[in-house]
Amino acid sequence: LAAAGTGIRANADMISDTEADGDRKCSISIDYKEGADGSIPVEGAVFSAYKVAAYSDAEGVVPISGIDINIEADDAEQICKKAVEYYKAKKDTEAVYTCMTDASGNAVISGMEHGIYLIAETEAAPVHVSSSPFIVQLPYTEHGIWQYDAKCEPKAVSSGSLKITKT
């Protein structure tokens, strides 16, 4: 998973002595590139954020009703798989947030509430296959400091080109 803030279970580096600012909004910056060296921007991809869990002052992390995840035991990959299964089954579900990559391959979702989100490329850019979905926790701690802005670098997959030959 190529995203900051994807560590769901706390470890020594992720513990903070302070509480997160509950009023502060979060954001996700997407930098979508392709090529062997990751330098070619991918324009026109639509990414959607689906809420997997919310934060409650009284209860801590609270999974969305119907998503069978265990925040303490499941790792980010397991949470992602379960969230994808849940949202695929709910075909009428709308994303909480969406964005589209620009000519530089960048997109930003801002004003996000605290929580855990499934981020999925819901409309592939032309001549591309959708990247794999991933999980982002907002906010998250890094070396004991609260981070409210996650930087994500999904990996683009080219669908190649179609060559038609007359026979």
Side-chain angles (χ1 to χ4, degrees):
L1 301 174
T6 55
I8 303 301
R9 289 185 280 184
N11 62 40
D13 260 358
M14 295 176 59
I15 303 299
S16 176
D17 292 334
T18 62
E19 292 293 319
D21 179 351
D23 295 327
R24 185 169 173 183
K25 300 292 184 196
C26 299
S27 70
I28 295 173
S29 299
I30 295 173
D31 184 17
Y32 200 27
K33 306 282 194 285
E34 68 177 348
D37 63 353
S39 64
I40 303 167
V42 178
E43 179 179 9
V46 175
F47 285 88
S48 299
Y50 300 90
K51 199 122 189 210
V52 174
Y55 291 125
S56 161
D57 288 337
E59 300 177 56
V61 178
V62 180
I64 299 301
S65 179
I67 299 181
D68 183 26
I69 59 173
N70 181 333
I71 297 300
E72 298 300 320
D74 293 344
D75 63 20
E77 190 172 321
Q78 291 168 315
I79 292 171
C80 186
K81 181 180 177 184
K82 290 176 181 181
V84 167
E85 290 170 0
Y86 171 79
Y87 280 112
K88 276 187 176 180
K90 291 187 64 138
K91 297 186 185 314
D92 62 341
T93 301
E94 290 187 27
V96 179
Y97 305 98
T98 60
C99 63
M100 180 184 288
T101 56
D102 61 17
S104 299
N106 298 314
V108 175
I109 301 174
S110 57
M112 298 178 77
E113 299 292 331
H114 295 199
I116 297 173
Y117 293 90
L118 170 68
I119 310 299
E121 185 177 355
T122 50
E123 291 181 37
V127 197
H128 285 85
V129 176
S130 293
S131 59
S132 296
F134 54 94
I135 294 291
V136 175
Q137 177 180 336
L138 295 170
Y140 63 97
T141 57
E142 186 171 60
H143 306 293
I145 299 170
W146 284 104
Q147 305 295 319
Y148 296 86
D149 306 303
K151 293 175 180 33
C152 306
E153 297 177 352
K155 302 302 174 210
V157 179
S158 176
S159 62
S161 59
L162 176 64
K163 182 177 179 182
I164 300 175
T165 307
K166 285 187 171 182
T167 58

